[in-house]
Amino acid sequence: MKVKAASQKVHLPGFVLCALLALCSLADAQQGKSLARVGFLSSRSPEAEKSRLAAFQQGMRELGYVEGKTLKIEQRYAEGNFDRLPELAADLVRIHVDVIVATGAPAAQAAKKTTSTAPIVMGNAADPVGTGLVASLARPGGNVTGLSDFAEGVITKRLELLKQVAPPVSRVAVLLNPANPSNPLQLKEIRAAAPSLGVTPLALEVKSAEDIERGFSAMKKERAGALLVLGDPLLETHRVKIAKLAIDERLPAIYSHSGWMDIGLMSYGVNFDDLYRRAATYVDKILKGAKPGELPVEQPTKLELVINLKAAKQIGLTIPPNVLARADRVIK
């Protein structure tokens, strides 16, 4: 009996040590899991995405996440160069982020082509069904879900607004980036709506900054009377140059969102900050175990019309009272 007791005393410390080590390992694992790592993949520059990132961060804070403690955001920016997106997406997958937030269709496409398993949340993407990002809005399937920045008929509405502020216009230049999967689809919609509005669209492709001035030269040569700029990260990177050229050429122009309106004449589209606050809800649900393919894609709930009367004065244009009355915001 004494020998047995002695034997028990010898093994007890080893057992306790193993138990303590196991508990420590478990605690470390739980602590590791409590830090959510979210990738933020953008086609644009950090400066261009500053507002949207801040809105996403705010949304995460409202859901109880604290950066540096329970949340780490890994940011990757392509600076307007779409060719860099696959490499940046692969880097986020390599470091095993829990979710990728993709800003815009090109970033979402790059992320989807890179991984079929890591959850991807679209902060904004025009026509995610038409571009093949999701199977349907109600049941996306796969590993992609999130928010669309494009409501049905919004492109037609932009064309209508141009015609209302400049009735004599018969030729409308359309500035687009063919590398953006949503832009050709939007151009198709413009061409379908144009005859009923009595206008002819002039499609001008911008693949690099050098194409912008060439595009405006073509507008002048073809006698375009107005300009419609499609939503695209590359075009938005050069928004100041584009909006200034439109003013210089005295072209009534409409843009995809209010981010252009420090210089631009008119915009009609979604509030992107609102979309990115809502994107945080998707990330939270996925981190808590929801499958992206089972989370319906949300469409815009509110579109806003912004009119810049300073720009109107610069090009000698009087905005009709009925259009002004419908504006959500007027810059004087």
Side-chain angles (χ1 to χ4, degrees):
M1 293 293 291
K2 290 181 180 178
V3 174
K4 188 175 182 181
S7 176
Q8 287 176 340
K9 287 180 181 179
V10 171
H11 287 87
L12 183 58
F15 171 79
V16 173
L17 181 61
C18 290
L20 288 172
L21 288 172
L23 286 172
C24 288
S25 297
L26 179 60
D28 289 342
Q30 288 175 338
Q31 186 177 5
K33 286 182 180 178
S34 67
L35 180 66
R37 301 184 73 192
V38 177
F40 191 84
L41 179 63
S42 169
S43 307
R44 308 196 303 168
S45 68
E47 181 61 29
E49 292 290 22
K50 188 176 179 180
S51 178
R52 298 179 192 182
L53 175 61
F56 174 70
Q57 290 170 316
Q58 179 186 336
M60 294 300 285
R61 283 195 300 271
E62 291 171 355
L63 291 166
Y65 294 85
V66 180
E67 280 195 74
K69 292 184 178 180
T70 59
L71 173 67
K72 184 175 183 181
I73 301 177
E74 298 281 357
Q75 303 171 43
R76 301 291 187 273
Y77 300 94
E79 304 274 358
N81 183 357
F82 288 3
D83 291 339
R84 292 190 61 209
L85 286 170
E87 168 197 344
L88 297 175
D91 187 44
L92 291 174
V93 172
R94 181 184 59 79
I95 62 174
H96 302 293
V97 294
D98 299 301
V99 186
I100 297 174
V101 174
T103 70
Q109 289 277 15
K112 183 180 179 182
K113 289 177 182 177
T114 302
T115 176
S116 60
T117 55
I120 299 165
V121 173
M122 304 176 292
N124 68 286
D127 196 0
V129 176
T131 55
L133 283 166
V134 298
S136 72
L137 297 179
R139 293 191 64 83
N143 62 323
V144 182
T145 187
L147 299 117
S148 168
D149 62 8
F150 197 72
E152 186 177 355
V154 68
I155 277 289
T156 302
K157 191 66 180 177
R158 288 176 191 153
L159 205 55
E160 289 175 355
L161 285 165
L162 268 182
K163 188 68 175 177
Q164 287 170 12
V165 300
V169 167
S170 60
R171 293 179 69 79
V172 175
V174 180
L175 219 54
L176 72 146
N177 179 1
N180 186 325
S182 67
N183 278 194
L185 296 174
Q186 293 176 47
L187 177 60
K188 185 178 179 180
E189 185 176 341
I190 289 169
R191 285 173 169 158
S196 64
L197 295 171
V199 297
T200 300
L202 172 65
L204 299 167
E205 297 184 350
V206 175
K207 300 177 183 178
S208 66
E210 291 73 25
D211 292 332
I212 295 172
E213 290 189 4
R214 282 196 288 266
F216 274 87
S217 295
M219 292 178 211
K220 192 171 184 177
K221 183 179 179 181
E222 298 293 333
R223 298 181 181 179
L227 170 64
L228 192 158
V229 181
L230 299 186
D232 171 73
L234 175 61
L235 297 176
E236 289 169 17
T237 298
H238 302 287
R239 66 182 178 80
V240 173
K241 181 176 184 178
I242 292 169
K244 281 185 175 179
L245 283 169
I247 295 292
D248 291 345
E249 296 297 330
R250 300 174 70 86
L251 283 173
I254 189 164
Y255 306 95
S256 58
H257 62 85
S258 61
W260 292 77
M261 296 312 293
D262 48 351
I263 303 174
L265 172 69
M266 187 165 52
S267 71
Y268 181 68
V270 301
N271 182 314
F272 280 93
D273 289 352
D274 178 57
L275 289 186
Y276 280 82
R277 279 190 294 269
R278 289 161 59 192
T281 303
Y282 279 89
V283 171
D284 178 55
K285 288 178 180 178
I286 290 169
L287 290 173
K288 290 176 178 175
K291 295 180 180 179
E294 296 176 358
L295 296 175
V297 174
E298 292 184 20
Q299 289 184 289
T301 55
K302 184 179 184 298
L303 297 170
E304 57 181 8
L305 171 62
V306 182
I307 296 173
N308 187 339
L309 291 181
K310 290 181 182 179
K313 185 177 181 180
Q314 285 179 290
I315 65 174
L317 182 70
T318 300
I319 304 295
N322 64 317
V323 177
L324 272 177
R326 289 158 48 197
D328 298 278
R329 182 158 61 97
V330 176
I331 299 170
K332 297 180 179 179

